[in-house]
Amino acid sequence: MDISYPPETEAFRTEIKGFLAEALPTDWKGIGALDEEAAWAFARDWRRQLAERGYLSLTWPEQYGGRGLSKLHQVVLMEELALAGVPFGLPQDTFGVKMLANTLLRWGTEEQKSHFLPRILSGEDTWCQGYSEPDAGSDLASLTTRAVRDGDEWVIDGQKVWTSGAHHCDWIFVLARTNRDASKHRGISFLLVPLDQPGVEVRPFRMMSGQLHFNEVFFNGARTRADLVVGGVDNGWTVAQSLLGVERGEEAATNPILFRAEVERLVELARQYGKDQDPVIRQRIAWCWSKVEIMRYLGYRILTGWLKGAEPGPESSIAKLYWSEYHTKVTDLAMDIMGLHGQVPEGRPPLRTYRTDDPGAANSSASWSTTYLIARSGTIYAGTSQVQRNILAEKVLGLPREPRP
């Protein structure tokens, strides 16, 4: 397998490195080194700079404000941003720029693309994802939120949960059942719904890490225009599956970078607590290092399929199960190194609410103990570890299906 990059993307890498050298301070250590107020101010200005240079919309067609470059150029961009310790826009850009925009480019009507893409790029519209429900999380096809056609509008009733950042957003893309007589994977539509209306209630709730990130969203006669269905009525499951594959290649490239930086912080933490010569601690750190190396090569395999346009396969379940279970082990080790100090959080907790703390973050007890709590959620969101194991057992190994009630 050839894991080198072609000349045209290496030339683009040189462009990105030049931009970073020009735009970042000479003493830059990563956004994690800033205090919370300064980090948010930097992220907002950084998003503006990325948008102005066309980096937020790198692979979009030029007619929609993009640069028309390849997926591999996007991977190079994400690699260099991760290595420099800078974000790709603001947190909600994961849903607007990465997920919805690419979904609209594939499935949207010309009117939908012309209206929404410029507003997503400018940040005028911010988006969240309305997928999971109290009784339909990992089994998403069991959702019960329904949308009924009423003239030129859809009327929506139901509840979504674990909706990241909804309390900061203007719009939500929602999976709703539009045909109650169809089988559970059919009869679902992908709707674009404004949040600022009387029929929508957003309730934030506090996570065990102390952060406010997730929300419940209640629809009680909420309305959206009839033409704001993406991919056709009753075709929402197919659209949703394509959306889930959008981040696959980027994450395969950037996860190993972020997790490697975290292991390097872990080594410093062991030195800080005088445990870097403890043979058991050293062995556990070596185990973490080897797991990140395996993650890197697994990422190359996933990246190869993604670049060829392959639909998400079992390797996606392998990767999700792998990194999420690994992250519980590395954060366990950090807590063991800190001992009782880990029970008394001091310093700035992570700004992120998923995966690692930001590059450049201090080796504080607040950073590691909060990341330890966040790591547990990684085995639940985006498909629980149990669901991923079932997928691999049934789809790859051909084992009998788990008994259903």
Side-chain angles (χ1 to χ4, degrees):
M1 179 179 180
D2 183 3
I3 59 174
S4 61
Y5 286 75
E8 62 270 21
T9 52
E10 288 306 308
F12 179 67
R13 191 185 299 276
T14 301
E15 174 191 329
I16 298 299
K17 286 180 179 292
F19 161 67
L20 293 169
E22 176 187 325
L24 295 174
T26 54
D27 60 348
W28 179 255
K29 297 179 180 178
I31 192 172
L34 305 178
D35 63 41
E36 184 171 0
E37 184 177 351
W40 282 112
F42 171 85
R44 286 189 288 269
D45 182 68
W46 187 249
R47 186 197 192 279
R48 176 189 59 78
Q49 293 189 59
L50 293 177
E52 287 177 353
R53 289 178 174 261
Y55 292 150
L56 284 185
S57 53
L58 197 66
T59 61
W60 299 12
E62 294 182 11
Q63 69 189 93
Y64 301 116
R67 290 181 55 175
L69 298 180
S70 70
K71 288 180 178 181
L72 193 54
H73 286 87
Q74 180 75 22
V75 169
V76 169
L77 171 67
M78 300 304 290
E79 284 180 341
E80 292 303 320
L81 294 182
L83 288 167
V86 292
F88 179 78
L90 295 169
Q92 292 310 118
D93 286 322
T94 296
F95 302 102
V97 174
K98 288 186 180 180
M99 292 185 176
L100 181 61
N102 285 289
T103 301
L104 288 175
L105 286 169
R106 179 172 179 180
W107 295 98
T109 64
E110 187 56 44
E111 290 75 15
Q112 290 169 350
K113 288 184 279 191
S114 298
H115 176 76
F116 286 110
L117 290 177
R119 298 169 68 91
I120 290 171
L121 191 56
S122 68
E124 185 175 355
D125 289 344
T126 52
W127 289 82
C128 56
Q129 181 184 54
Y131 275 23
S132 294
E133 299 183 5
D135 295 317
S138 295
D139 184 16
L140 183 59
S142 295
L143 63 87
T144 58
T145 295
R146 60 175 183 160
V148 177
R149 183 72 178 264
D150 180 23
D152 293 334
E153 295 181 313
W154 292 99
V155 181
I156 306 163
D157 293 279
Q159 179 187 355
K160 298 293 180 179
V161 73
W162 316 121
T163 310
S164 301
H167 53 311
H168 298 308
C169 293
D170 311 303
W171 287 79
I172 183 171
F173 49 91
V174 176
L175 288 183
R177 194 162 297 284
T178 47
N179 185 346
R180 301 179 69 180
D181 297 326
S183 61
K184 71 176 190 175
H185 287 86
R186 302 180 183 275
I188 295 172
S189 295
F190 189 106
L191 303 172
L192 309 179
V193 182
L195 286 172
D196 186 14
Q197 59 171 301
V200 178
E201 181 184 0
V202 178
R203 297 182 191 171
F205 56 85
R206 196 170 298 277
M207 297 153 51
M208 66 178 179
S209 63
Q211 296 159 305
L212 280 173
H213 180 61
F214 290 132
N215 299 265
E216 296 176 288
V217 181
F218 296 87
F219 301 99
N220 184 16
R223 291 177 175 266
T224 194
R225 297 202 320 263
D227 62 341
L228 294 185
V229 178
V230 179
V233 177
D234 296 346
N235 193 43
W237 186 257
T238 302
V239 176
Q241 292 305 298
S242 71
L243 181 146
L244 293 174
V246 165
E247 289 188 286
R248 187 166 53 128
E250 294 175 9
E251 288 188 357
T254 57
N255 267 353
I257 295 172
L258 296 174
F259 285 121
R260 168 61 68 81
E262 187 178 61
V263 170
E264 291 171 354
R265 289 180 60 224
L266 185 69
V267 172
E268 291 302 317
L269 187 73
R271 289 177 179 149
Q272 180 181 325
Y273 280 85
K275 296 184 179 181
D276 55 310
Q277 298 303 313
D278 183 310
V280 175
I281 297 296
R282 290 169 66 89
Q283 183 180 29
R284 292 173 69 185
I285 290 175
W287 180 89
C288 293
W289 184 89
S290 67
K291 290 295 182 182
V292 173
E293 279 296 284
I294 293 170
M295 190 188 304
R296 181 162 68 95
Y297 284 97
L298 175 60
Y300 287 140
R301 179 181 179 184
I302 294 170
L303 180 59
T304 299
W306 184 71
L307 292 171
K308 292 180 178 178
E311 292 297 323
E315 64 274 8
S316 297
S317 292
I318 294 171
K320 170 57 172 61
L321 180 64
Y322 186 96
W323 72 254
S324 61
E325 294 288 331
Y326 157 79
H327 204 211
T328 65
K329 302 295 191 302
V330 70
T331 53
D332 277 343
L333 175 53
M335 297 298 286
D336 288 345
I337 290 172
M338 292 188 295
L340 291 177
H341 288 278
Q343 307 302 312
V344 186
E346 293 182 334
R348 195 206 77 184
L351 298 178
R352 286 170 173 255
T353 53
Y354 58 96
R355 294 184 179 82
T356 68
D357 199 348
D358 286 303
N363 260 336
S364 66
S365 54
S367 171
W368 280 107
S369 62
T370 308
T371 304
Y372 166 81
L373 296 176
I374 290 171
R376 270 64 198 159
S377 68
T379 65
I380 300 170
Y381 65 70
T384 66
S385 291
Q386 291 80 4
V387 166
Q388 304 300 342
R389 288 189 175 97
N390 278 354
I391 292 171
L392 295 173
E394 296 172 9
K395 304 292 187 183
V396 179
L397 301 179
L399 297 177
R401 289 175 62 86
E402 183 179 48
R404 265 60 170 182

